[in-house]
Amino acid sequence: MKMNVPFGSSQPDPYIVGIGGKYYMYATHVDGVQLYVSSDKLNWDFAGFCFTREGYKEFWAPAVAQIGGKYYLYVSCMPSDTADDHMQRLITAVSETPQGPFRYCCDLVPPFSIDAHVVQSGGEWYLFYSVNDYTAECAGTLIVVDKMLSPTQVRGQPKVVVRPTMDEEIFMRDRFEKGKDWYTVEGAFYFRKGDWHYVTYSGNCYKSPYYYIGYARACTPETDLTKINFEKYPNDREYRPLIMRNGEESGTGHNSILEENGRYYLYYHGRDSGTPEGQETRTCRMCELLAQDGTLSVLAR
């Protein structure tokens, strides 16, 4: 289901939270973090940029967590004077309100680091994010998790959560040298239902016909997320997307999940099928997510 958003706007990497009867959507933009506000989860008004940083650009995949009475924004960006995306690094900003404006606190993880998701488990806070591994069998971008020592500091001992493992996750063939393909999984979002732990993620690139949302899972009472071994569903080699392109939309991926009254709403970006790729046309969409006995499924999109 497409969201009602201002005409001509785009919402790549939408991250949605519900606070005090309102809903806030944070989205990627070259110039800063976009903010949209809604009272019903479906109709959204643009509220401007809730965070910018002088001398930086390409503010990717923002996420917000309420910690200790304040709101912390986690987003990656890169210096304005470089064209190298591998200079992207995660930073932290803070505000007293979910709409900001957020104030820069510090750099959180060195380059290359993107796609934060901060969650609480067992009284501790954890950061899921993506980094590069140049030496793996499927070299490329993967997902890790690390414990947080404070809202602005990680322990520095990341554990791998999800690796790329299949041809459908090849972002670019022969990227840095002949015969060395580059794989990508990114955009982690963690949630738990009972003893089942789930991490949804996106594989490949939004311009690829194979771009998709998949998930990994684990069944355990463990609350330390750095001690859990997640396994891709259904396995490392079988390409079985939770969401992928269909006749109406393509470029479907990078989700967040909103839980309300025991129901899960999965928000993601996509393009209307047939839309030219020369311009940014990813907009926010939503479907209901079902989680039952270790298996995720979505209702009609």
Side-chain angles (χ1 to χ4, degrees):
M1 176 191 302
K2 290 177 63 176
M3 300 295 93
N4 293 320
V5 295
F7 179 77
S9 66
S10 64
Q11 301 82 38
D13 313 321
Y15 191 94
I16 283 79
V17 296
I19 299 169
K22 288 189 176 181
Y23 302 92
Y24 301 88
M25 179 201 306
Y26 308 89
T28 290
H29 195 278
V30 173
D31 298 324
V33 175
Q34 297 187 81
L35 174 65
Y36 295 79
V37 181
S38 173
S39 59
D40 61 5
K41 303 193 293 291
L42 300 176
N43 299 284
W44 298 87
D45 295 317
F46 180 57
F49 292 108
C50 62
F51 177 71
T52 60
R53 186 183 180 193
E54 186 174 355
Y56 286 79
K57 64 180 180 180
E58 301 290 355
F59 296 82
W60 290 0
V64 169
Q66 185 178 7
I67 306 174
K70 294 185 178 182
Y71 297 88
Y72 288 88
L73 170 71
Y74 301 89
V75 65
S76 69
C77 56
M78 56 193 272
S80 299
D81 60 0
T82 183
D84 182 5
D85 288 342
H86 292 275
M87 291 304 294
Q88 282 277 349
R89 81 288 309 274
L90 284 172
I91 67 170
T92 309
V94 67
S95 174
E96 283 67 42
T97 67
Q99 65 265 29
F102 289 87
R103 305 178 302 277
Y104 169 76
C105 293
C106 62
D107 286 17
L108 188 64
V109 185
F112 171 75
S113 54
I114 61 171
D115 293 3
H117 182 219
V118 172
V119 297
Q120 190 175 34
S121 177
E124 304 279 357
W125 287 89
Y126 296 84
L127 171 70
F128 288 84
Y129 63 103
S130 289
V131 294
N132 288 338
D133 185 342
Y134 294 87
T135 62
E137 178 182 356
C138 296
T141 305
L142 52 80
I143 294 167
V144 299
V145 64
D146 201 355
K147 185 174 290 188
M148 302 190 75
L149 304 179
S150 76
T152 59
Q153 184 181 8
V154 292
R155 183 171 59 179
Q157 299 175 22
K159 172 188 170 63
V160 174
V161 177
V162 183
R163 288 184 179 275
T165 54
M166 62 186 77
D167 286 352
E168 289 85 356
E169 294 163 345
I170 295 176
F171 168 81
M172 186 181 297
R173 293 193 179 274
D174 305 323
R175 185 174 192 183
F176 295 116
E177 60 180 277
K178 186 68 175 178
K180 195 72 170 179
D181 300 329
W182 188 261
Y183 296 72
T184 295
V185 292
E186 59 187 10
F189 192 98
Y190 165 87
F191 74 100
R192 177 177 179 174
K193 184 178 181 183
D195 280 347
W196 279 103
H197 303 253
Y198 303 93
V199 176
T200 59
Y201 60 87
S202 295
N204 210 308
C205 167
Y206 75 94
K207 296 181 179 180
S208 166
Y210 295 106
Y211 185 57
Y212 77 106
I213 296 174
Y215 67 96
R217 60 185 184 171
C219 187
T220 173
E222 179 64 64
T223 60
D224 186 337
L225 303 185
T226 64
K227 294 181 179 180
I228 296 176
N229 295 317
F230 288 88
E231 296 181 353
K232 278 181 169 178
Y233 175 85
N235 55 62
D236 282 351
R237 297 299 176 185
E238 188 172 349
Y239 176 66
R240 193 184 299 179
L242 179 64
I243 291 180
M244 64 176 298
R245 68 175 184 168
N246 59 21
E248 285 84 40
E249 56 186 15
S250 62
T252 50
H254 201 110
N255 72 277
S256 60
I257 297 169
L258 177 69
E259 180 184 359
E260 280 192 330
N261 301 318
R263 300 174 71 175
Y264 299 89
Y265 301 93
L266 187 148
Y267 290 84
Y268 61 100
H269 64 221
R271 298 188 307 268
D272 292 344
S273 292
T275 301
E277 293 186 0
Q279 56 188 358
E280 178 54 82
T281 55
R282 287 174 288 173
T283 57
C284 183
R285 291 119 199 277
M286 182 266 282
C287 59
E288 189 167 353
L289 178 70
L290 303 180
Q292 186 172 8
D293 299 328
T295 302
L296 301 183
S297 59
V298 297
L299 298 182
R301 289 151 56 191

